[in-house]
Each structure stands twice: as structure tokens, then as C-alpha cells.
Amino acid sequence: MLFGELAKYYDRLEEVSSRLKMIDILTETFKKAGHEEIGYIIYITQGVLAPPFEGIEFGVADKLVEEAIAIATSYTKDEVEKAYKKSGDLGIVAKDLKASTKLKSLRNSRYTVEEVYNKMIEIARTGGEGSKAHKIKLLADMFANSAPDEVKYLARYPLGELRMGVGDATILEALSLAYTGSRAFKGELERAYNLCSDLSYVGVTLAKEGKEAIIGFKVTLFKPVRPALAERLPTANEILEKMGGRAAVEQKYDGFRLQVHKDGDRIQLYSRRLENTTGMFPDILEAVKREIPAKRIIFEGEAIAYNEVTGELFPFQETIQRKRKHDIEKKAEELPLHLFAFDVMYYEGKDYLNEPYEKRRELLEHVLEKSSTIRPTTRIITSSPKEMEGFFEKSIENGLEGIVAKDLNSRYIAGARKFSWIKMKRSYKGELTDTLDLVVVGYFLGRGSRAEFEFGGLLCATYNDKRDMFETITKLGTGFTEAQMAELKQTLDRIKIKSKPARVDSIITPDFWVTPKYVVVVKADEITKSPTHTCGMEKLPDGTEAGYALRFPRLVGDEAIRKDKSPEDATTTREVIEMFKQQKKVRIDDS
Ligand code: AMP
């Protein structure tokens, strides 16, 4: 497929306002593409070169793309910069300037999709001295040899954002339709994706080897499994009821999640977001080498700083210092980490995901018999709510975050938030003190004292995982520092778009829409019913419609944007409804 043809599909994707139409267009695109090409198209559509764990980044900033546009169109850097200030989108700038350049300009495409992908890989791999100039040259060459409609996406791609708002679930549904003629196979494709975290690999496997290969998909060493997530409930009674009267209850450590893959001497560590973080944790790496007798294994746990002498666990804020990229070795000495392991997915060639929790735990304890830096999480098994409450209180006293209850019979459910794991934190046991992770879908211009920042607040949404849509829950105008406002404005300007993204459901129209990409942490006093927000919107008995909204929302945290969360990791609509119910219950209990 020529890249020009793909760009035409992208133009259509950018224009549509409904998710279903979006899926139709993607399905058509996949049907037209060759088997290998599917892989490239998926990465390009995601705005990446490879899955996060491969660590292949473009290493291209706005300025570099601006320079390449200037060279390819013979406009000056100032002119490019001015056009960028005006439109806020280097894709549009590249297209417009390319269309109006006096240089002999191409009307038709020269590159195939594969060639574009390979050239982008070459740009990403260019490093060392003089690499910036070389990257600019490679990019400028591509711009010069492509038509204006293609250049629009060629300029956006290395910046990591195609601004079409296509998410993983959208791609999975389109793959199912393109290759099986129905949506029904989406679940199987999702399962395969959850096992390897590489959407492109799943697409190519389906295209080349068919449905059977997807049905037989297994975990693979060095392709991280998408992590299982926990639901939440406020009381031990409710947890036990949900789990059939008996459950394992583990301490909940507030550190970072690590997934360990080991094959002989080769060991890799992956973060919750599936990035390869091996280089950041030399002490854990050493411990895996030294303490884990298994030849081939995949297991996971929570890494946390721990004081050997006092037995005290350090809070997340201190542990996170270890995440900084500098002085890794020094920090490893000052603040040694322990890994509290809580699950095992693969052992000596066998996939354990479908084994019950108890069996996986038994294996984990067996593997960790002789280890000290890596140890199993502290836990009890109980059928008594009182005992569970007691274990919870003790955990809190010991500086832990709470507990995670686990269904003794459940398999490991990769990539999903299910009731087979249920967390209980101190904050659930009262009014709404828990925070929400919300997706920014638009922003408002500043008025009054905010006018100088050209930033007045955000329009925020939850993720409805059933509908694969973002539903608004609040406007957010407080809690920002001046620096955060400036940062948000600058960051959001890069992803603003002309009209409402197809996967956003909103009654309110902000001054600017943005592609759902960034997550902010929000605290509020209460969840209320509201006719202006679409989160969980349903018909009320009186025939009117109401969704859920936040009362007195405010931004929390030092960093405006939660960089470790993707929009699909945000608080779901279902969770909001659950929180609303619990909030009501607390009030009834209190009265
Ligand atoms: P939350 O981030 O509040 O949704 O809680 C889930 C997270 O708790 C997981 O992603 C893990 O990183 C962390 N965690 C800490 N201790 C445990 C445990 N014993 N079992 C499972 N997850 C745990």
C-alpha cells in the first residue's frame, strides 16, 4: 500500500464524529493492506514505532520537525514557527507550506507504508554526534518527496501523535471485522493482546496465521503480560461476599510494580506501563540472578524501599526517587529495594495464567524459598470479616497502603480490572477521599486573572470500557499552580483538534477539544447526579437523563499530568458508579 493511500484513510478517520464509522474506515484500511503491512499500519496508527517495552523512541522534538519542514519547503524557520503558533499543529503546517511552496512539488506519493516505517526507524536509530542534523536531513528528504496530504501525517508521526483518537480497543474491533467478518472475535484478539502487549504482533499473527493461532496464543518470555488490575470495595464483609466466603488477603505495598522475565542469564524488568526498566534497578537484577533458581520464569511484584535495620517500609514518595535516571548505582546503595512478589505467570516452559491463584502462589513460594531481597507478599487466608479487618488495620499501622484480597480459585486475568482481586484502602472507608484519574478531552481559555495564561481549566472524562468511549464528568478549574497551567496549556496545544473526537461523549463544548491522551489526578468532595455530564448517563424515572459529576473538583499532585497512565487506564465509568453507591451507603450508615 502506498503511504498516500493510508493518508487518505487517515483524513477520513480525522473527519468522522462517530466511533462506529471510525471502525468501518479502519476495517476497510486493514482489508486493503497486505499481511506484513498490517503490522506497520497498526504501529503508525498508534503513533509508535514499537511496543513500549522495546524502548524504540523517535527522539524527535517540535523544533527538529520545524527545521525539516523549512528545508523541504524553502520557507524560513521563522515562517514555519509563525504558522505553528497559529495552528498549533505541525501536521497542518507541513501540509499547507508544502502545498504552497514554490519548489517543484510532488502531487503523488513515492513511498510505500513499509518504506515510511523503515525510514522512521532509521531516524529513531540515528544517535551520537551530529545525529540531530542527520535526523533533520532524513525527515526533510521524506517531506520533499511526498505530497502535501502525506506530509501532514509524516510530520505528526515522529511527534508520537496522529490526532485521530484511535485507541487499542478500536483497532482490535476493526481487526476482528476485517479478518473474521464479525465483531465476535474481538474478545480472543484482546486476550492475545493482553498476553503479549504488542498490538501489531497480534494483527500480523491474525493476518498471516488465522484465527487458530490467536486462539492458541500463549505468554512469551520478553513480551510482558498486561497486568491484572484490582477492583475496590469498602468493607471486609463485601469483599468476602464477592469472593464466596473465603479469600487470601495480601498486604498492599505502595511502590512500583515490576514484571520480571528470566531466561537463563537474560533478565529483563518491565514497569506497570510495560516499559523496559531493567537499567533502573541493578539491585533487583542482581537479586534475581542470585536468588531465583528457576531457569525460565515470569513473575511479578511490587518494588519498595525498605530499611533493613528497622524493618520499616518507605513511602512511595521516597521510593520514587529511585526512578530518577541519575545516580542509579548510588541510589541503589542508599535506598535498597525489596521486591514483594505476588504472582507468577510462567515457569520452566509452562503457562500458569489459567492455573488457580492458590496453585500459582504455592509455586511462587517454592521458587522464593531461599531468597531474601525478593520475597512473597505477607498474607493470610481467612473467611472471617473480623480477621480481615484486623489484618487491614495492622497493615495500615505498619505503613502499608491497605490490602488486596484475592479469589483463591481465580486465574490470572491479564489486562483487566476484575473482582478476582479486590483492594481496600484506608480512604474508601469514609467520604470521597479517594482520587480519580481523569482523561483530559478539552480545555477552556482563561478569563479574568487567568487571561494571561490563556488557560482557564480542563474538561475531564472517565473511560467507559464497555463502550470504549470517554464520558465527561467534570470541568476542572482549581488546584493548578501557575507553572502547571503554563505546562498544561503548552502540552495540550500540541494535541488540540478542530472538532469533538469520535470517542468522546460530551454535552459541553470546551474552547478547544484535544485528543484523549493525558490523565490528571482529581480530588472532589462528592459524586453527584448531573444532567450536564455524560459519565454513566441514564434515563431517570421522570424521563429526564442524568449522568454523574464531581462536586468541588480540584487537581492534586505535584505533576499536572500522570505520565504513567494512558487514557484507557483512567478511572472507569463503572468505578464512578460504584463509588457513588458506596458514598450513599456511608451516609446511610452514618445517619
Ligand atoms: P491501585 O494502583 O490502587 O489500583 O492498586 C493496584 C496496584 O497495587 C497494583 O498495580 C500493584 O502495583 C500494587 N500492589 C501492591 N501490593 C500488591 C499485592 N499484594 N497484590 C497485587 N497488587 C499489589
Side-chain angles (χ1 to χ4, degrees):
M1 185 188 281
L2 288 174
F3 190 74
E5 205 180 331
L6 183 62
K8 286 208 176 72
Y9 284 119
Y10 283 168
D11 274 340
R12 285 170 59 199
L13 278 172
E14 204 181 32
E15 287 304 315
V16 289
S17 56
S18 110
R19 179 177 178 273
L20 287 180
K21 290 215 181 80
M22 190 176 230
I23 290 173
D24 286 346
I25 298 166
L26 259 184
T27 306
E28 204 183 315
T29 318
F30 290 151
K31 277 184 171 166
K32 269 291 187 66
H35 289 174
E36 282 294 344
E37 268 166 0
I38 292 283
Y40 305 126
I41 292 175
I42 291 175
Y43 285 147
I44 298 172
T45 309
Q46 287 182 309
V48 300
L49 287 164
F53 56 90
E54 300 278 2
I56 308 175
E57 311 246 341
F58 282 105
V60 166
D62 291 4
K63 280 271 171 287
L64 201 146
V65 176
E66 284 179 27
E67 284 194 40
I69 296 174
I71 294 169
T73 60
S74 82
Y75 281 93
T76 65
K77 274 194 243 174
D78 280 351
E79 283 167 323
V80 176
E81 176 113 20
K82 233 167 107 192
Y84 182 30
K85 282 235 165 76
K86 214 168 134 215
S87 76
D89 179 350
L90 277 173
I92 301 283
V93 173
K95 177 182 166 173
D96 288 352
L97 298 189
K98 178 78 196 187
S100 62
T101 177
K102 285 179 219 63
L103 291 179
K104 201 161 103 311
S105 191
L106 287 179
R107 289 267 144 248
N108 292 313
S109 148
R110 266 198 26 188
Y111 296 114
T112 62
V113 169
E114 183 177 353
E115 281 167 341
V116 164
Y117 177 82
N118 286 335
K119 287 229 174 267
M120 291 292 181
I121 286 277
E122 192 183 338
I123 291 172
R125 295 233 158 101
T126 303
E129 213 181 309
S131 66
K132 191 173 158 224
H134 193 55
K135 280 181 195 251
I136 293 173
K137 186 184 170 307
L138 289 169
L139 211 52
D141 274 354
M142 281 175 93
F143 293 168
N145 289 319
S146 303
D149 287 343
E150 299 164 74
V151 171
K152 177 174 165 188
Y153 299 101
L154 291 177
R156 284 179 181 175
Y157 184 28
L159 297 172
E161 185 49 70
L162 266 73
R163 304 193 188 214
M164 300 178 305
V166 174
D168 292 352
T170 329
I171 295 178
L172 286 167
E173 204 161 322
L175 278 174
S176 177
L177 278 164
Y179 286 95
T180 72
S182 110
R183 289 171 206 280
F185 200 62
K186 186 187 158 203
E188 280 295 336
L189 287 168
E190 199 173 342
R191 190 192 69 89
Y193 179 38
N194 285 336
L195 297 191
C196 72
S197 311
D198 184 347
L199 204 49
S200 172
Y201 183 62
V202 172
V204 173
T205 305
L206 176 68
K208 278 187 168 167
E209 298 170 41
K211 281 165 85 172
E212 290 312 311
I214 297 292
I215 292 167
F217 215 90
K218 291 229 168 343
V219 280
T220 322
L221 274 160
F222 309 112
K223 283 197 186 287
V225 176
R226 283 168 45 96
L229 302 171
E231 276 287 353
R232 62 182 101 196
L233 282 175
T235 64
N237 265 324
E238 281 166 276
I239 293 176
L240 279 171
E241 202 176 300
K242 199 92 189 173
M243 292 194 162
R246 207 169 124 82
V249 187
E250 299 186 9
Q251 289 189 330
K252 185 174 194 301
Y253 303 82
D254 188 14
F256 355 67
R257 194 167 184 161
L258 284 183
Q259 195 177 122
V260 181
H261 288 230
K262 174 178 193 282
D263 183 0
D265 287 341
R266 183 169 177 217
I267 298 162
Q268 303 283 307
L269 310 174
Y270 303 97
S271 69
R272 185 184 182 284
R273 284 207 72 176
L274 310 170
E275 280 149 345
N276 191 326
T277 47
T278 314
M280 278 163 59
F281 302 105
D283 39 353
I284 300 279
L285 197 68
E286 268 309 308
V288 175
K289 253 188 219 160
R290 209 175 45 233
E291 299 180 0
I292 305 287
K295 232 176 129 319
R296 286 187 295 161
I297 189 166
I298 302 176
F299 70 97
E300 73 172 337
E302 190 88 354
I304 187 164
Y306 183 76
N307 185 328
E308 300 277 356
V309 183
T310 62
E312 174 195 13
L313 290 165
F314 286 100
F316 182 65
Q317 282 313 330
E318 302 219 9
T319 303
I320 200 154
Q321 294 183 12
R322 284 291 311 273
K323 252 188 152 166
R324 308 246 159 87
K325 301 225 160 110
H326 311 290
D327 295 333
I328 286 173
E329 296 287 347
K330 202 168 135 233
K331 272 275 167 231
E333 268 171 42
E334 277 171 27
L335 216 63
L337 292 177
H338 277 261
L339 183 64
F340 289 93
F342 51 76
D343 226 309
V344 54
M345 295 89 143
Y346 171 95
Y347 179 65
E348 309 298 17
K350 182 170 161 18
D351 184 331
Y352 271 78
L353 292 185
N354 290 326
E355 298 293 340
Y357 164 85
E358 253 320 70
K359 194 151 174 213
R360 299 199 309 276
R361 175 76 191 199
E362 218 173 85
L363 171 64
L364 191 64
E365 286 181 8
H366 165 72
V367 170
L368 301 179
E369 236 158 34
K370 297 212 169 62
S371 54
S372 55
T373 305
I374 306 168
R375 57 184 83 162
T377 51
T378 305
R379 69 159 197 172
I380 56 166
I381 295 181
T382 184
S383 40
S384 146
K386 210 162 158 238
E387 194 181 0
M388 193 187 292
E389 292 277 353
F391 186 73
F392 171 78
E393 294 299 340
K394 209 171 108 218
S395 302
I396 299 281
E397 264 165 41
N398 290 343
L400 289 133
E401 220 190 353
I403 52 168
V404 187
K406 306 210 168 157
D407 184 333
L408 293 164
N409 301 312
S410 67
R411 60 190 178 91
Y412 186 97
I413 308 173
R417 198 177 288 289
K418 289 277 147 85
F419 281 101
S420 48
W421 287 14
I422 306 176
K423 60 189 175 190
M424 182 162 89
K425 293 203 232 173
R426 166 64 91 208
S427 46
Y428 300 157
K429 306 189 76 195
E431 78 279 17
L432 190 68
T433 43
D434 204 13
T435 55
L436 288 91
D437 296 331
L438 301 178
V439 184
V440 180
V441 296
Y443 71 91
F444 299 92
L445 287 175
R447 292 177 188 91
S449 65
R450 291 272 179 91
E452 69 171 294
F453 298 106
E454 296 178 51
F455 176 82
L458 306 171
L459 180 61
C460 298
T462 53
Y463 179 54
N464 186 327
D465 51 351
K466 288 239 165 62
R467 300 175 62 211
D468 185 29
M469 293 283 286
F470 299 99
E471 301 173 337
T472 75
I473 183 166
T474 195
K475 283 187 190 177
L476 181 65
T478 39
F480 305 99
T481 62
E482 292 189 359
Q484 284 174 332
M485 284 196 267
E487 183 201 334
L488 277 165
K489 162 91 174 115
Q490 201 186 27
T491 312
L492 296 176
D493 269 353
R494 296 167 53 117
I495 54 165
K496 68 182 179 194
I497 38 180
K498 277 187 302 197
S499 52
K500 187 179 72 58
R503 287 165 68 226
V504 171
D505 196 354
S506 179
I507 296 166
I508 295 170
T509 306
D511 291 322
F512 292 104
W513 293 107
V514 297
T515 306
K517 180 176 169 111
Y518 295 114
V519 170
V520 292
V521 185
V522 178
K523 207 166 159 86
D525 281 6
E526 203 182 353
I527 298 173
T528 56
K529 283 269 184 182
S530 149
T532 45
H533 287 287
T534 54
C535 170
M537 189 156 245
E538 58 183 4
K539 262 212 163 62
L540 298 179
D542 65 1
T544 58
E545 288 199 313
Y548 295 88
L550 299 183
R551 211 163 85 96
F552 299 133
R554 55 219 177 257
L555 182 88
V556 289
D558 295 339
E559 290 186 10
I561 293 166
R562 265 297 293 261
K563 301 208 169 64
D564 63 334
K565 296 230 167 174
S566 66
E568 284 84 4
D569 288 333
T571 302
T572 60
T573 300
R574 207 155 36 94
E575 286 179 282
V576 168
I577 297 172
E578 200 52 50
M579 285 159 110
F580 179 75
K581 281 191 205 149
Q582 284 172 19
Q583 171 187 290
K584 264 176 53 186
K585 232 183 253 168
V586 170
R587 242 184 263 137
I588 293 162
D589 290 349
D590 283 353
S591 59

